[in-house]
Amino acid sequence: MKKLFAIVAFMLPVALMAQEEKPEAASVPASETAVQVAAELSKYGYAHGDALSLIQAARMAKQAGMTQEAREKAETQGGQADQGAKSGKVCLDPAQLLADAKELAKNDGVLNALIDQVKNNVRGAVGGPKYAVSSVNAHGTDVYRVNFRAGETGIVTVVGDGDTDLDLYVYDQNGNLIDKDVDYTDNCVCTFVPRWTGLFVIKIVNRGSVYNRYVLRTN
């Protein structure tokens, strides 16, 4: 019996070393949803040559005050030369989106009027969400280490360019898997509430045979 108690006493602290797992009903703030929707609109617009989707993506990105930031990878794992052709594209830069929309719109007066309206009259929010853009190699993994605060919902959003399936994993500093998004798309979201403030490991895995250029947003 004493031996059993000793085993339980030894195992209990180990179990407590894991961070809080994903809450059952974690709400995603509007700023995070805007990142996803704008990125998806841009991806659709580029894939289908649809100027209106690019214009709407630019409008949302501008209104949300999205700005790009530099984010260094902690490491890259695996990867190989591309085995297929690239076609997908994703963008959250309003100026670039509107320039590409204008090229697609050609002489369409309505679309060009919408482009001018977004360019000249839509104001951006102050201190809006920041995002990073990077690429993960074919069959490769990108790794980031990001601090999250205790008791506050952590959100990691990844939107790829549409060419391959991306999977997203979040681990705590002790290597425990906290959350994952492993469906068959390259639109991924993980949410969790840390028990303590610390570094978390974010892994973005490319399941496809070409590189994937993605948008990464952490709150």
Side-chain angles (χ1 to χ4, degrees):
M1 184 63 71
K2 288 183 179 179
K3 185 176 181 180
L4 177 60
F5 284 147
I7 293 173
V8 172
F10 174 77
M11 293 179 62
L12 184 58
V14 175
L16 293 177
M17 290 301 288
Q19 284 272 23
E20 183 73 18
E21 291 191 357
K22 182 177 180 178
E24 293 183 1
S27 59
V28 179
S31 61
E32 306 304 319
T33 303
V35 171
Q36 283 184 281
V37 175
E40 284 294 326
L41 279 168
S42 79
K43 187 162 60 174
Y44 180 89
Y46 286 120
H48 298 278
D50 183 32
L52 190 58
S53 294
L54 298 184
I55 295 168
Q56 185 58 27
R59 180 189 298 274
M60 291 188 66
K62 201 169 183 181
Q63 287 176 332
M66 295 181 193
T67 54
Q68 187 172 341
E69 64 177 350
R71 172 162 288 175
E72 292 187 7
K73 301 174 187 178
E75 59 180 299
T76 57
Q77 300 173 352
Q80 59 189 50
D82 291 347
Q83 299 173 338
K86 282 290 297 178
S87 61
K89 185 176 180 180
V90 62
C91 179
L92 286 177
D93 177 7
Q96 185 63 56
L97 287 164
L98 292 176
D100 293 338
K102 196 169 188 66
E103 187 174 337
L104 290 171
K106 300 187 185 304
N107 296 321
D108 189 310
V110 174
L111 289 176
N112 278 291
L114 287 173
I115 291 169
D116 291 338
Q117 194 271 334
V118 173
K119 182 184 297 183
N120 300 320
N121 300 321
V122 176
R123 295 184 177 181
V126 177
K130 292 181 171 58
Y131 66 93
V133 178
S134 192
S135 299
V136 56
N137 293 333
H139 302 294
T141 300
D142 284 355
V143 181
Y144 297 86
R145 291 184 173 87
V146 180
N147 264 306
F148 287 92
R149 289 190 291 269
E152 299 181 10
T153 300
I155 304 173
V156 182
T157 301
V158 173
V159 181
D161 61 22
D163 276 347
T164 68
D165 172 27
L166 296 181
D167 289 339
L168 174 64
Y169 302 85
V170 178
Y171 300 84
D172 68 14
Q173 62 197 35
N174 299 310
N176 300 298
L177 178 63
I178 299 303
D179 195 21
K180 63 182 178 180
D181 188 333
V182 292
D183 61 16
Y184 294 101
T185 73
D186 61 354
N187 188 352
C188 309
V189 180
C190 286
T191 61
F192 53 96
V193 180
R195 289 180 177 172
W196 62 82
T197 298
L199 277 174
F200 284 74
V201 176
I202 297 169
K203 291 189 177 183
I204 301 169
V205 182
N206 185 357
R207 302 299 183 185
S209 58
V210 296
Y211 77 85
N212 192 309
R213 188 166 177 81
Y214 59 85
V215 170
L216 169 65
R217 159 74 177 156
T218 59
N219 68 333

